[in-house]
Amino acid sequence: MEKQTAGHEQLGEFAPKFAELNDDILFGEVWSREKELSAHERSVITITALIAGGNFEQLNFHMAKGKENGISQEEISEIITHLSFYVGWPKAWSDFNIAKKFGNKRRKL
């Protein structure tokens, strides 16, 4: 797994401890535990949580990460459709507009 540096780059001077926890703990230690959950599974879980919370700003990064981790357009479409009944129809519309930027039927998400 590639080392995550977004926290240090974007918040390192403003919130150094948060940046450290983001890069070293969340993306360094938690995401690297692929024996327990694969990167694909972690991406599905993370995208689902972001959709449920309406965290659209972070969803863009994690949609791209999900594509890298093998999530297909069909999977993300099914995830959003299923979640629409639990987290809200307007969120689903917003999520589909984000998801459309990351692929088409011939490619993984």
Side-chain angles (χ1 to χ4, degrees), residues 7-90:
H8 289 304
E9 291 168 5
Q10 296 177 27
L11 293 173
E13 290 183 30
F14 187 78
K17 188 60 176 179
F18 184 87
E20 174 190 341
L21 293 170
N22 181 80
D23 295 353
D24 300 342
I25 305 300
L26 175 58
F27 285 99
E29 293 180 27
V30 175
W31 272 86
S32 67
R33 297 170 43 88
E34 292 195 22
K35 184 174 137 190
E36 292 77 12
L37 286 173
S38 70
H40 181 273
E41 292 168 320
R42 288 184 192 278
S43 282
V44 168
I45 292 165
T46 302
I47 289 169
T48 300
L50 294 172
I51 289 170
N55 299 303
F56 304 121
E57 185 177 343
Q58 289 77 27
L59 192 55
N60 281 292
F61 170 82
H62 282 285
M63 286 281 189
K65 187 62 134 173
K67 181 178 179 178
E68 288 175 25
N69 291 333
I71 297 177
S72 68
Q73 178 184 330
E74 291 81 5
E75 286 176 294
I76 199 62
S77 179
E78 190 62 28
I79 290 166
I80 296 170
T81 299
H82 184 78
L83 284 173
S84 68
F85 292 95
Y86 293 93
V87 302
W89 205 256

Side-chain angles (χ1 to χ4, degrees), residues 81-107:
T81 299
H82 184 78
L83 284 173
S84 68
F85 292 95
Y86 293 93
V87 302
W89 205 256
K91 283 183 185 173
W93 272 101
S94 297
D95 298 324
F96 275 121
N97 286 328
I98 293 168
K100 284 174 20 182
K101 294 187 275 186
F102 293 96
N104 61 44
K105 288 236 181 244
R106 291 179 293 281
R107 299 183 307 195

